[in-house]
Amino acid sequence: MSNPPSTKAINRLAIPAIFAGIAEPVLSITDTAIVGNIPENGLESLAAAGIVGSFLSMLIWILGQTRSAISAIVSQYLGAGKREDIRSLPAQAIYLNISLSVLILLATLPFSSQIFQWLNASGTILEYCISYYGIRVWGFPLTLFTFAVMGVFQGLQNTLWPMSIALTGTVINIVLDFALVYGVDGFLPAMYLEGAAWASLIAQGCMAVMAVVLLVKNTDIPLRLTLPFHPEMRRLVGMVLNLFVRTLSLNVALLFAVREATAMGDRYIGAHTIAVNLWLFAAFFIDGYSAAGKILGGRFLGARDYDQLWNLARKTLRFGWVVCAVLMGAGALFYYSIGRLFSSDPAVLEAFYGIFFVVILGMPVNAIAFIYDGLYKGMGKMRLLRNVLLAATFLGFLPVLYLGVYLDWKLYGVWAAFTVWMAIRGGALVWNFRSRFRPLLQKA
């Protein structure tokens, strides 16, 4: 049997993963806060940043799933004591990722106006969306490259390097946000929303360079593409395709939520943008323990150590709930202060305060879904994850969302749909895990 998943081992992986995970939402939250307080057209800039951010997140999450597939395969080979047999696969997966990202960039950039019109952007907001996206989209291949390298590191049971990359990029982005959005007297003019886009692009470039340096200097994994394709490439592509469909359905939920919130009016999309960024911040905070479950889960499955896999699920979920309790307490304590960080518009704040309690109360349900999601990614069970997400989106989220539209629930309907969505995801995975692995336990 493998060594048991001690609290120390879990935290050694989870805590750096938390910092790496929250870097992206912290970056988005900072963008939102800075853009939302632009002196002129701050509300329109906030709305545009939210719309474009949701669309870019969809693209990144869809193609960024290579990270989970690489991590799962590498960790399983590590658990089986066959690390050397996997050396050529990461470079092949990375080049596949970059090629797909360039194709998506070239396919979406000429049609950005039509894309954001479909998301109900118009007038000044549409103009801002097009200019913001025209800069930020060039960071898309850089981000996918960085994500793929992070997947290699996670598969090797290392979350410190992904944390270093993510935190470095976040700090660079925040510093550049202030400098480029508001300008520096006598040195840089204020660029407003476009400044935020340039700050993100430069930070993504720095993260990609750092990922290359860490991979080349600290591992024996080559970046040079070699042929023929590794035998596991077929399984990796299958996993990525399942995650691709899964993430498409995930982003159907996120984009339809943005679309309906935008249709309600500027103050509602502004409030929804703030709420979604906070929701993602909490999600990625909890996802640190999901990452630990993914990394160790793949190793225990590779070693066929089902007792420790079971113990891992229990421990990571407990830690996830502790994180939830802290976040819920902070949200309740600073309920009104948090809103004022992002906007000074009374209409936006009123709409936000009306639904922020739903975001807070849904966190324990989210923890269950995220923790088990990580475990199943580590075990490579991507088909199951795909089917669960499809059911949650099309049988849960969309019906509740449009019931809310029909009954004119405004943002309550959007966030009721999110709550049902997460409950279905978490409940299905818990049921499957218990029925699948309980009979395999030695002490069962």
Side-chain angles (χ1 to χ4, degrees), residues 71-82:
S71 175
I73 293 175
V74 172
S75 64
Q76 287 170 27
Y77 268 69
L78 193 66
K82 299 178 180 179

Side-chain angles (χ1 to χ4, degrees), residues 58-74:
M58 178 198 73
L59 295 179
I60 290 169
W61 287 352
I62 287 173
L63 294 182
Q65 298 306 316
T66 308
R67 172 174 57 178
S68 293
I70 293 173
S71 175
I73 293 175
V74 172

Side-chain angles (χ1 to χ4, degrees), residues 26 378 424:
V26 164
I424 293 173

Side-chain angles (χ1 to χ4, degrees), residues 26-306:
V26 164
L27 189 153
S28 297
I29 285 171
T30 304
D31 279 356
T32 302
I34 292 173
V35 167
N37 286 287
I38 288 174
E40 296 181 7
N41 297 325
L43 178 56
E44 290 82 359
S45 297
L46 177 63
I51 294 168
V52 173
S54 295
F55 182 68
L56 272 174
S57 293
M58 178 198 73
L59 295 179
I60 290 169
W61 287 352
I62 287 173
L63 294 182
Q65 298 306 316
T66 308
R67 172 174 57 178
S68 293
I70 293 173
S71 175
I73 293 175
V74 172
S75 64
Q76 287 170 27
Y77 268 69
L78 193 66
K82 299 178 180 179
R83 172 176 167 171
E84 284 298 314
D85 295 346
I86 205 72
R87 287 183 75 249
S88 65
L89 180 65
Q92 294 172 0
I94 288 168
Y95 279 94
L96 174 65
N97 231 27
I98 293 172
S99 300
L100 289 173
S101 68
V102 171
L103 286 176
I104 295 292
L105 186 157
L106 296 176
T108 59
L109 189 57
F111 301 102
S112 58
S113 176
Q114 291 86 342
I115 290 168
F116 299 121
Q117 281 178 341
W118 182 83
L119 290 170
N120 286 323
S122 60
T124 302
I125 292 177
L126 177 60
E127 292 176 14
Y128 284 0
C129 284
I130 294 169
S131 64
Y132 185 62
Y133 183 72
I135 298 167
R136 280 215 50 189
V137 71
W138 294 99
F140 181 48
L142 299 171
T143 295
L144 291 185
F145 168 79
T146 304
F147 274 17
V149 175
M150 286 180 173
V152 176
F153 292 153
Q154 289 182 348
L156 295 173
Q157 317 288 286
N158 188 312
T159 54
L160 282 172
W161 295 336
M163 179 191 73
S164 302
I165 294 168
L167 290 182
T168 300
T170 301
V171 171
I172 291 171
N173 196 332
I174 291 172
V175 172
L176 290 177
D177 259 342
F178 282 101
L180 298 180
V181 172
Y182 298 135
V184 178
D185 287 341
F187 183 65
L188 283 173
M191 299 173 66
Y192 300 124
L193 185 60
E194 288 190 354
W198 280 110
S200 296
L201 178 58
I202 294 168
Q204 287 165 321
C206 293
M207 291 167 70
V209 170
M210 190 172 177
V212 170
V213 172
L214 286 172
L215 184 70
V216 171
K217 284 195 171 184
N218 296 293
T219 76
D220 58 354
I221 303 292
L223 269 178
R224 184 170 59 88
L225 180 64
T226 57
L227 296 174
F229 286 116
H230 192 280
E232 285 286 3
M233 193 64 179
R234 184 174 180 178
R235 180 161 75 109
L236 184 140
V237 170
M239 291 166 69
V240 170
L241 287 175
N242 280 320
L243 287 172
F244 181 90
V245 174
R246 174 185 180 273
T247 312
L248 270 178
S249 64
L250 185 152
N251 282 283
V252 163
L254 294 175
L255 286 178
F256 271 80
V258 168
R259 187 172 187 266
E260 295 308 319
T262 304
M264 294 172 196
D266 291 356
R267 67 178 177 136
Y268 290 106
I269 183 56
H272 180 71
T273 297
I274 297 170
V276 162
N277 276 295
L278 292 171
W279 187 85
L280 289 172
F281 173 79
F284 281 102
F285 213 107
I286 298 165
D287 205 48
Y289 286 98
S290 173
K294 177 175 69 176
I295 295 165
L296 293 172
R299 197 184 88 196
F300 289 140
L301 186 70
R304 300 180 184 274
D305 195 340
Y306 304 116

Side-chain angles (χ1 to χ4, degrees), residues 427-441:
L429 292 179
V430 169
W431 177 84
N432 182 272
F433 186 84
R434 294 179 67 84
S435 60
R436 183 185 185 92
F437 291 106
R438 182 181 282 278
L440 300 175
L441 301 181

